[in-house]
Amino acid sequence: MTIDELQQKAKLLPSLPGIYMMRDSLGNIIYVGKSKALKKRVSSYFGKTIKDEKHKMKRMVASIVSFDYQETDTELDALLLECKLIKELKPIYNSLLKNDKRYRFIEINREAELPRVNVAFEKGDVGEYFGPYDIPYRLNIGVEAINSYYKLPLCKKRVQKKECLAYRMKRCIGPCQEEKAILIDYESRLQEAAHFLEGKDLEILTYYEEKMQMASERLEFEKAVQYREYIAVLKMLGYRKEAIGFSLDNRRGIALVKIPRGGFKLYLLRGTQIVYTRCFEEIAAPVQKEHKQILQKAILEAGDKYFKQRLQSKKHLEKGEVDEAMITYYYLKTKRESCYEVIEENDYGKVQKRQINQFLNKAFKNFQ
């Protein structure tokens, strides 16, 4: 198919969540992607905007002769299916385009002339790397917040002039002074930054929360907004460790996710592992009392079977399991289209029925 033919085919796609698979002239799948609006996303590959893309992207588009797609109920389903297919099929351009698309790392390279926290597009041979993170446009904000809190250098190279402006303003600890006490403190701060990125030290969040509160009280709203943004991104950086811990805990939970074509999808989970799903496309806002009763009954009946299964606990997760845990945890924690609740660990009875009722009230209040 020509680019024009591919573009026309893309225009016929639904504006719904799903995955798409690009194929070359031999029929090989060379790229797998996902979108919450297939028509818009796939069309973007064959439009004029592709001229502004990077060389690898242009090369991939030039290789496409056809594509397949598969609708999913929700964006969460699309994310998980994309992850699964990439692991199974290993399309060549998912590897080549991974860094160009959205993934970044945070790097602390102690062998640099002036080590600090940096954003990196890929892992190097030296240094500590954290991630990958798929928040490319906000990751720089997080790095700025970390360097500012630990007063790490703003410069990449040492300067001959002592007591630069950043040092005098107490924005940098001043390793260029080359004083023994400062260098020891400098090394300690680099280690503390690494501990935060490992999820071991969260004092930085408390610090910025206090700064935001003080700025608000002083009516310094621009500063308050900046600190709020710092806090939001720093919390995102901690999701990886949280997701792994949450998955290993294996606590049971319930989620309702809006279906774009109408209705809701019910998910029952153990940790971040989805053990049961069911769509209720007939239930739409405003939710009626009988709708809540239908959902409550469905949850109790399904939960009685699935939640009582004792899944084998794990001490660690494989890489593929970490990816899926991150996807599920991040989606349920951040997306407005979803509502999630942990259910207490005891046999089904009045307590669970009350919890489920509370969850449904909360969910539909959020979805109004």
Side-chain angles (χ1 to χ4, degrees), residues 165-181:
L165 180 61
Y167 178 71
R168 291 200 301 271
M169 294 178 66
K170 298 183 178 180
R171 295 178 62 189
C172 175
I173 191 174
C176 293
Q177 306 300 305
E178 296 187 346
E179 295 178 10
K180 186 176 180 179

Side-chain angles (χ1 to χ4, degrees), residues 200-229:
K200 297 177 182 177
D201 183 358
L202 302 179
E203 289 185 10
I204 185 173
L205 291 172
T206 303
Y207 170 80
Y208 281 121
E209 284 166 358
E210 291 175 353
K211 295 281 284 185
M212 182 178 67
Q213 181 64 30
M214 290 170 59
S216 297
E217 291 172 356
R218 295 172 182 170
L219 304 183
E220 297 173 344
F221 298 120
E222 288 187 9
K223 285 186 178 180
V225 169
Q226 181 185 34
Y227 294 138
R228 184 180 64 189
E229 184 74 0

